[in-house]
């Protein structure tokens, strides 16, 4: 019998579409165009997680708030992590995932911290490891 997770929208997304939204979100983030970032996140959340429209709006807003909290040089990591925990709670409720929202949030924001530290050095083992840990927690995989 197939695992029910195979029918889950967050496991059957179009990777090229999601990659375009991811790229656009990084551009908006670095340009500090927060309303544009929110609009991009609406598309990203819908494409990646397949949430109903109102939940998509809520999740995209929370995701944007997390990014805004993290953006300044003196970023507020605890606040960004709290927003991300709320984001992952929405995903967990919507899809019945086994993820731990607090752990997923901690590892996602930790990846942001490492990404900032090694910006421009995508081959950094620490960066690769942080990203792998974040996705493993978010998708409940090894």
């Amino acid at each position: 019998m197939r695992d029910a997770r195979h029918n889950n929208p967050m496991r059957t997304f179009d990777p090229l579409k999601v990659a375009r939204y991811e790229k656009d979100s990084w551009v908006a983030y670095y340009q500090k165009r927060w309303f544009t970032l929110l609009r991009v996140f609406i598309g990203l959340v819908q494409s990646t997680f397949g949430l109903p429209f109102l939940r998509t709006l809520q999740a995209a807003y929370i995701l944007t708030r997390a990014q805004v909290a993290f953006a300044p040089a003196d970023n507020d990591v605890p606040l960004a992590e709290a927003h991300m925990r709320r984001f992952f709670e929405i995903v967990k409720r919507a899809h019945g995932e086994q993820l731990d929202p607090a752990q997923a949030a901690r590892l996602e924001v930790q990846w942001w911290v490492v990404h900032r530290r090694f910006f421009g050095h995508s081959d950094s083992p620490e960066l690769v490891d942080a990203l792998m840990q974040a996705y493993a927690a978010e998708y409940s995989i090894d």
Side-chain angles (χ1 to χ4, degrees), residues 70-119:
F70 187 79
D74 62 340
N75 53 23
D76 191 338
V77 170
L79 182 58
E81 201 172 300
H83 288 308
M84 289 309 298
R85 186 180 62 250
R86 289 181 51 219
F87 174 83
F88 286 119
E89 287 168 353
I90 291 169
V91 171
K92 180 177 181 167
R93 275 194 313 270
H95 296 303
E97 286 291 318
Q98 296 302 309
L99 70 91
D100 175 344
Q103 179 188 30
R106 182 179 57 76
L107 291 170
E108 176 70 20
V109 174
Q110 180 59 33
W111 130 248
W112 299 352
V113 169
V114 172
H115 178 264
R116 183 172 283 179
R117 187 177 327 131
F118 292 100
F119 185 78

Side-chain angles (χ1 to χ4, degrees), residues 38-141:
L38 173 61
R39 286 193 341 250
V40 171
F41 278 159
I42 290 168
L44 179 65
V45 169
Q46 182 62 49
S47 295
T48 306
F49 298 103
L51 299 175
F53 184 69
L54 290 179
R55 285 283 184 225
T56 293
L57 293 178
Q58 179 186 25
Y61 176 72
I62 292 168
L63 189 53
T64 303
R65 290 188 65 197
Q67 294 285 330
V68 170
F70 187 79
D74 62 340
N75 53 23
D76 191 338
V77 170
L79 182 58
E81 201 172 300
H83 288 308
M84 289 309 298
R85 186 180 62 250
R86 289 181 51 219
F87 174 83
F88 286 119
E89 287 168 353
I90 291 169
V91 171
K92 180 177 181 167
R93 275 194 313 270
H95 296 303
E97 286 291 318
Q98 296 302 309
L99 70 91
D100 175 344
Q103 179 188 30
R106 182 179 57 76
L107 291 170
E108 176 70 20
V109 174
Q110 180 59 33
W111 130 248
W112 299 352
V113 169
V114 172
H115 178 264
R116 183 172 283 179
R117 187 177 327 131
F118 292 100
F119 185 78
H121 302 282
S122 60
D123 59 345
S124 161
E126 293 90 346
L127 182 61
V128 172
D129 185 59
L131 183 59
M132 287 183 355
Q133 286 186 39
Y135 282 141
E138 292 164 24
Y139 286 89
S140 304
I141 56 175

